[in-house]
Amino acid sequence: MEVNVNRAFVIATAVVIALSGAHPPKLFAAREAQKAQSVALPYTLKDDSGATWDLSADGSVNDGGDDLYDGGAHLFLDGNVQFNPTSNQVPFDPARNELTFGPQDFKGMKVSRRVSVDSKASFIRYAEVFENPTGAAIKMQVRVYFETGGSVQSAAPFAEEKRARQQIGCTIEEDNNNCFAIIGAGRSSKIAPHFNPQQNTKNVDLSYEFEVPAKQTVVLVHIEARRGSVSECQTFMQQTKDKDYLKDLPRDLSRHVINFAIGVRLAGDLELLRPELNDLIEMRGDRGDKISGTIKEKSYRLSTFFGMVEIPAERVIAMQNVGEFHPRQLLVTKEGEILGGELEKKEISIELSNGIQTSVPVEQISRMGFRRKKDEPDEWTFEKPLVLLRSGERLIVGSPEGTIEVLTRYGLLKLTAVDMHALALQSDESPVHQILLSDGSKISGLASASSFDIKLSASGQSVKVPAAAISRLQFSANPADIDDTTGIMTLSNDDQLIGSLTGNIKLRTGFGNVSLSGPEVRRLTRSKGGLLDVQIEMWDQTTLSGELEDGELLMKLTCGVEIKTPVNLLDEYNQPRPQPSLAVAEAIVKLAVELGADDWNQREEAQKKLIGMGPVVINVLKGLREKQSPEGQQRIDQSIAAIEKAERPEPPPPQQAPNEINDAVNLPPDVEKL
């Protein structure tokens, strides 16, 4: 690979997994090859920065002039079987600037690679396609191997910004002043990539374990992007959105992506058509006919299951025709709403670029897209409640009133829209409904309602929607963040409860019966050998083991819901900020009062004592803050800040990669010091 930039680079490897429908269509590689021209290998793809990506017969990048690596992105299957098709002629699609390698047979599957360069954004994209036509699922281990141009000197992580702080990337520095960064998953990924840079060698691996379901397809995508300095590498990783990595990826590959948050541009499984210059209509059929111009409709009257809806044309950004036997239309608005039904008008008027106006029958349209509107957001954020229907519609609604009853292992819960983030009535992960609360709790259960009364936000129209038609009810934009100060109970049925134990816990020990205060419990684990055998650690690190007298634990969730948890479902409970004992709490209250004393020395001494007591004072001080004087409030804030700072150790400097060839790097999530 020859480049005309400075001696620092970035390679961003973003890996996605996508599943096709139940029956795999004609092979992706074969189908797309019909549209491409054949070229001889090795072949060079270029971008606008002046880089040239010279590709070998296996799709890897050859050694380049700036010696970033001696061989980039070799693909290995199940550890040591290299993807290496024998053909020296491959299809090239000029429109996508893309080469297609393979397919190669492996374990009954067809494995192929699609390699394209985004000229404007200056990155190369690999799409590793695994098509399983068999009737059985196939487990896979995939390794993407980079042989660097210089020895690996250090490695630093790149983590997703939000709740889990899962490591999704890793920056590698070489001894020849080159560097590259690997991004192994999207920011909301369920896929956990494994990074293995090896110090003082030229070896860097990115690996995955996954399963290709029967008669389905899995796609792995990794991106390599060059930049001119280490800081530009970091800026690229921080600022590039997941959807940008997959921009222009063919619909057959992108429509089922599950570990990148790109659904903002999708209506159900259908990718929206969004032209930049003119309005565009794509016709049904295999010929790929398109009509470009200006769509002249002023409004769209749509007959839906809840009545006739009229949408002004300036609100509509796209239309999809869906359904095999009796097509219906999905209209997408600039607010992100998706309304489905049958258009009253059976033709769409469009003015061609030569000024001629014509009409296109709706039933012959595959999809329709309008040029971007000035006030259209790049991404939709839904602050208002939503209803997602199984048929693909997305309705923006008013806040639901009353309660929703859900039958759970903890009894019948009566929840309000304030308590809940979302109610998933259709889930690939569970046969029952999933209740996601506003505090981050996740509970399995069954919503008892057969239908839901909702009010459409745009029109104010009240409609009744059958529960069987709903995929998901969303009540708020995002649940609360879960961090290392949050109390969490995990259960064997994969539920997660956020909050604190309450009430008294009676424990039979070897030296007698003891009564413990639930809010004072720091950690509680259940023995696998007994239903009620537990070990409890208290706020002051006192640890007791024994048998609970009661088979249920009382817990108050952060959102305010109180539930009884069966002990036999408990895996573990952790509360990083337990309440202290009553005597200690009274001492904290006394010192908090002294924070507002007239004597400055008395205030200083009280603050020092509180800080010295450590994290146990934080929750008590927060509860007392509102009743203090302005200076008392300021000193409480200062005390809490000092304690929390002491809790968080300074992040270590970037770690060196291990010498051992097979020893993986476990890197800290903080890379701010690079």
Side-chain angles (χ1 to χ4, degrees):
M1 179 184 66
E2 299 177 356
V3 294
N4 297 318
V5 296
N6 296 333
R7 297 180 63 188
F9 305 86
V10 57
I11 299 176
T13 303
V15 179
V16 309
I17 291 188
L19 298 179
S20 75
H23 300 283
K26 187 177 180 180
L27 291 177
F28 290 124
R31 184 171 62 255
E32 294 298 324
Q34 296 175 355
K35 304 177 182 179
Q37 62 192 49
S38 181
V39 296
L41 295 174
Y43 191 83
T44 298
L45 297 176
K46 299 181 180 181
D47 63 38
D48 291 350
S49 72
T52 57
W53 305 84
D54 44 335
L55 298 169
S56 301
D58 67 344
S60 64
V61 181
N62 296 323
D63 182 14
D66 279 348
D67 202 24
L68 176 59
Y69 42 66
D70 292 337
H74 294 281
L75 177 64
F76 288 87
L77 312 173
D78 280 358
N80 55 11
V81 178
Q82 185 173 2
F83 175 83
N84 193 17
T86 57
S87 176
N88 287 321
Q89 295 277 336
V90 297
F92 172 62
D93 185 347
R96 291 195 176 108
N97 202 23
E98 179 183 72
L99 298 169
T100 300
F101 298 82
Q104 176 175 314
D105 292 330
F106 183 75
K107 294 173 69 170
M109 295 184 299
K110 297 292 185 181
V111 182
S112 57
R113 309 189 83 179
R114 300 167 63 108
V115 186
S116 64
V117 168
D118 188 310
S119 298
K120 293 182 179 179
S122 185
F123 63 70
I124 188 170
R125 178 177 65 213
Y126 284 81
E128 324 289 12
V129 182
F130 302 84
E131 300 183 79
N132 179 12
T134 73
I138 299 175
K139 293 184 177 181
M140 284 292 301
Q141 294 179 337
V142 168
R143 179 166 64 96
V144 182
Y145 168 64
F146 297 88
E147 182 182 2
T148 60
S151 297
V152 176
Q153 298 301 299
S154 65
F158 178 71
E160 61 176 329
E161 299 90 341
K162 295 188 177 179
R163 299 186 301 173
R165 294 290 297 170
Q166 175 176 274
Q167 184 182 348
I168 59 174
C170 182
T171 299
I172 308 298
E173 183 180 13
E174 302 177 19
D175 60 7
N176 56 5
N177 295 323
N178 287 330
C179 74
F180 63 96
I182 303 174
I183 296 180
R187 289 170 172 83
S188 300
S189 176
K190 298 178 182 178
I191 306 301
H194 185 71
F195 302 91
N196 186 15
Q198 301 154 21
Q199 184 188 10
N200 297 326
T201 75
K202 294 186 174 185
N203 303 317
V204 178
D205 285 327
L206 172 66
S207 58
Y208 300 84
E209 293 184 2
F210 58 94
E211 185 175 83
V212 185
K215 300 185 182 300
Q216 295 192 27
T217 298
V218 166
V219 181
L220 295 176
V221 175
H222 51 95
I223 310 294
E224 302 170 14
R226 301 174 357 201
R227 295 297 181 268
S229 68
V230 173
S231 62
E232 288 182 66
C233 295
Q234 297 176 20
T235 299
F236 173 80
M237 290 187 289
Q238 292 164 359
Q239 295 185 355
T240 304
K241 298 176 181 178
D242 292 346
K243 67 182 181 68
D244 294 334
Y245 294 130
L246 306 180
K247 184 179 66 174
D248 298 329
L249 193 66
R251 241 187 304 171
D252 286 335
L253 299 180
S254 67
R255 62 189 300 178
H256 297 289
V257 170
I258 62 173
N259 71 327
F260 270 75
I262 62 167
V264 53
R265 283 289 172 225
L266 301 180
D269 288 338
L270 303 173
E271 185 180 358
L272 302 185
L273 180 63
R274 298 312 323 283
E276 293 292 336
L277 299 178
N278 294 321
D279 301 336
L280 191 64
I281 295 176
E282 285 189 357
M283 307 300 292
R284 287 176 174 266
D286 298 331
R287 293 177 299 179
D289 291 351
K290 300 178 182 180
I291 301 175
S292 177
T294 301
I295 295 173
K296 305 300 288 185
E297 302 296 329
K298 296 181 179 180
S299 66
Y300 300 88
R301 286 177 55 83
L302 191 70
S303 177
T304 72
F305 72 92
F306 47 79
M308 184 67 71
V309 176
E310 184 167 359
I311 309 173
E314 60 267 19
R315 286 187 56 206
V316 178
I317 64 171
M319 187 198 81
Q320 302 276 165
N321 240 332
V322 296
E324 181 178 356
F325 302 112
H326 183 71
R328 63 191 185 91
Q329 291 75 55
L330 293 181
L331 292 180
V332 185
T333 73
K334 63 183 181 182
E335 296 85 9
E337 195 166 16
I338 304 174
L339 298 168
E342 187 173 351
L343 282 175
E344 184 179 61
K345 188 176 179 182
K346 303 305 180 185
E347 294 182 335
I348 299 296
S349 297
I350 184 170
E351 183 179 293
L352 307 181
S353 56
N354 60 7
I356 297 176
Q357 187 164 319
T358 186
S359 295
V360 182
V362 171
E363 63 180 13
Q364 295 183 19
I365 296 175
S366 171
R367 56 180 184 158
M368 181 171 74
F370 294 80
R371 69 194 66 155
R372 291 185 62 87
K373 302 180 186 302
K374 293 181 180 179
D375 55 349
E376 182 185 337
D378 290 331
E379 293 188 12
W380 291 312
T381 56
F382 298 101
E383 303 296 335
K384 295 181 179 180
L386 295 174
V387 176
L388 307 180
L389 301 183
R390 293 173 184 255
S391 53
E393 286 96 321
R394 178 165 55 209
L395 308 177
I396 300 176
V397 300
S399 182
E401 299 179 356
T403 60
I404 295 176
E405 294 186 352
V406 183
L407 184 62
T408 72
R409 294 295 298 270
Y410 324 107
L412 182 65
L413 302 182
K414 296 183 178 182
L415 305 171
T416 68
V418 176
D419 302 325
M420 304 174 69
H421 161 61
L423 172 62
L425 302 179
Q426 180 187 26
S427 172
D428 294 333
E429 301 176 358
S430 174
V432 296
H433 301 158
Q434 295 290 306
I435 302 96
L436 308 175
L437 300 185
S438 57
D439 57 20
S441 297
K442 182 181 71 171
I443 298 174
S444 301
L446 290 172
S448 59
S450 60
S451 62
F452 293 88
D453 294 319
I454 63 174
K455 180 177 287 187
L456 301 180
S457 181
S459 64
Q461 183 179 356
S462 295
V463 298
K464 185 182 291 290
V465 182
I470 297 176
S471 172
R472 181 183 178 95
L473 290 165
Q474 183 170 307
F475 304 96
S476 62
N478 289 299
D481 287 345
I482 301 173
D483 56 30
D484 55 7
T485 67
T486 303
I488 302 177
M489 178 182 287
T490 56
L491 298 109
S492 58
N493 62 348
D494 292 329
D495 283 2
Q496 174 179 270
L497 306 178
I498 308 300
S500 296
L501 293 175
T502 61
N504 291 323
I505 300 174
K506 296 181 180 180
L507 184 69
R508 300 187 187 100
T509 72
F511 51 84
N513 297 341
V514 296
S515 180
L516 307 172
S517 174
E520 297 178 22
V521 174
R522 179 185 300 275
R523 187 169 184 265
L524 190 153
T525 56
R526 182 175 64 86
S527 168
K528 301 304 180 183
L531 293 179
L532 301 179
D533 287 346
V534 298
Q535 185 177 75
I536 300 176
E537 180 185 343
M538 302 301 292
W539 69 276
D540 59 357
Q541 297 184 336
T542 297
T543 302
L544 300 170
S545 300
E547 183 182 62
L548 294 175
E549 288 189 7
D550 196 343
E552 294 179 326
L553 293 169
L554 300 179
M555 189 170 185
K556 185 173 183 178
L557 305 184
T558 304
C559 66
V561 176
E562 296 182 345
I563 64 174
K564 295 180 179 180
T565 306
V567 176
N568 59 4
L569 286 180
L570 174 69
D571 278 344
E572 187 174 57
Y573 166 77
N574 282 285
Q575 174 53 266
R577 296 280 173 79
Q579 293 286 356
S581 66
L582 181 60
V584 173
E586 289 175 349
I588 295 172
V589 172
K590 182 178 178 180
L591 289 172
V593 173
E594 295 179 8
L595 293 177
D598 294 335
D599 186 353
W600 181 86
N601 289 324
Q602 186 178 359
R603 299 195 299 269
E604 281 287 297
E605 185 64 22
Q607 185 170 345
K608 289 179 181 178
K609 289 181 179 180
L610 286 170
I611 294 174
M613 295 174 73
V616 72
V617 309
I618 291 179
N619 284 343
V620 179
L621 289 181
K622 287 182 177 180
L624 297 171
R625 186 184 184 281
E626 294 302 319
K627 297 181 180 179
Q628 304 303 307
S629 65
E631 179 163 353
Q633 292 181 357
Q634 182 180 14
R635 285 183 176 270
I636 284 177
D637 294 341
Q638 292 172 348
S639 300
I640 292 175
I643 295 169
E644 290 180 338
K645 182 178 180 180
E647 273 191 302
R648 296 190 297 267
E650 287 293 320
Q655 295 184 4
Q656 287 193 328
N659 282 306
E660 293 80 1
I661 288 182
N662 293 317
D663 189 10
V665 177
N666 295 314
L667 298 169
D670 196 336
V671 295
E672 294 180 357
K673 285 198 166 186
L674 288 178

